[in-house]
Amino acid sequence: AQSVTQLGSHVSVSEGALVLLRCNYSSSVPPYLFWYVQYPNQGLQLLLKYTTGATLVKGINGFEAEFKKSETSFHLTKPSAHMSDAAEYFCAVRGNTGGFKTIFGAGTRLFVKA
Amino acid sequence: KAGVTQTPRYLIKTRGQQVTLSCSPISGHRSVSWYQQTPGQGLQFLFEYFSETQRNKGNFPGRFSGRQFSNSRSEMNVSTLELGDSAFYLCASSFFGGGVEETQYFGPGTRLLVL
């Protein structure tokens, strides 16, 4: 069975500071990993995804994530936070079973202080 | 190209009633998935449809059902509503859905309140 654990339901950073959102996964098959962002009362937008190949993945809005198999982690980072980054972020895993049975983490709400 | 649309955006129902939510995928997309989002349980997978067939199903009671039409539009139905069904319902579409590398595009969601 696959699962995703996001460490920290809330993270607060100052504008311009490093953003680090943690995600650990459990999967019995090679995982496909995703980060999504959700703004209030809106759907989810894909930030980035890891399927195969390079373990450092660059996404939109300056975000990137590194797949570390040995640590079963896929942490999301951004060098410098912007006020517009304040949102909820979801890490997700999808196994190679066909179709889209995506398993989401509980989410991390990012607050950005001026 | 228009994005995924969901109707209605907001809905209030009472216990025991039934509700139907609609999702229109991006033109050309054939896979539609549904998710329930609640503060307590987070985002949970309901089911996925591809070419009018349910291909994957999450762990929800039989009161939750869905279907997909030949134009790929999908509906989700919840019968005998319970207070716990109050949630944000999201649908997502993708072109084929057979490859995990495909991107799912999410709609704006439907907020359902059951009184």
Side-chain angles (χ1 to χ4, degrees), chain A residues 27-114:
Chain A
S27 177
S28 58
V29 297
Y32 297 91
L33 297 158
F34 306 81
W35 275 100
Y36 289 88
V37 61
Q38 185 180 35
Y39 296 96
N41 292 310
Q42 293 186 25
L44 276 67
Q45 181 183 14
L46 180 68
L47 281 175
L48 49 79
K49 61 183 178 184
Y50 169 78
T51 53
T52 58
T55 56
L56 181 62
V57 182
K58 294 187 184 300
I60 62 172
N61 302 339
F63 285 94
E64 62 181 37
E66 186 170 11
F67 170 63
K68 292 187 176 180
K69 185 177 179 180
S70 61
E71 299 177 8
T72 61
S73 69
F74 191 56
H75 302 330
L76 181 71
T77 60
K78 181 174 180 178
S80 176
H82 191 272
M83 296 297 289
S84 61
D85 294 327
E88 187 148 25
Y89 292 80
F90 293 91
C91 182
V93 64
R94 186 189 306 160
N96 189 19
T97 57
F100 279 104
K101 191 170 183 176
T102 306
I103 307 300
F104 287 88
T108 297
R109 186 167 296 277
L110 176 66
F111 297 92
V112 182
K113 299 176 292 187

Side-chain angles (χ1 to χ4, degrees), chain B residues 7 46 76 78 80 89:
Chain B
T7 56
L46 280 157
M76 190 193 89
V78 187
T80 319
Y89 290 88

Side-chain angles (χ1 to χ4, degrees), chain A residues 12-36:
Chain A
S12 181
V13 300
S14 297
E15 192 172 22
L18 171 71
V19 175
L20 171 60
L21 304 182
R22 300 176 187 273
C23 172
N24 288 88
Y25 70 90
S26 171
S27 177
S28 58
V29 297
Y32 297 91
L33 297 158
F34 306 81
W35 275 100
Y36 289 88

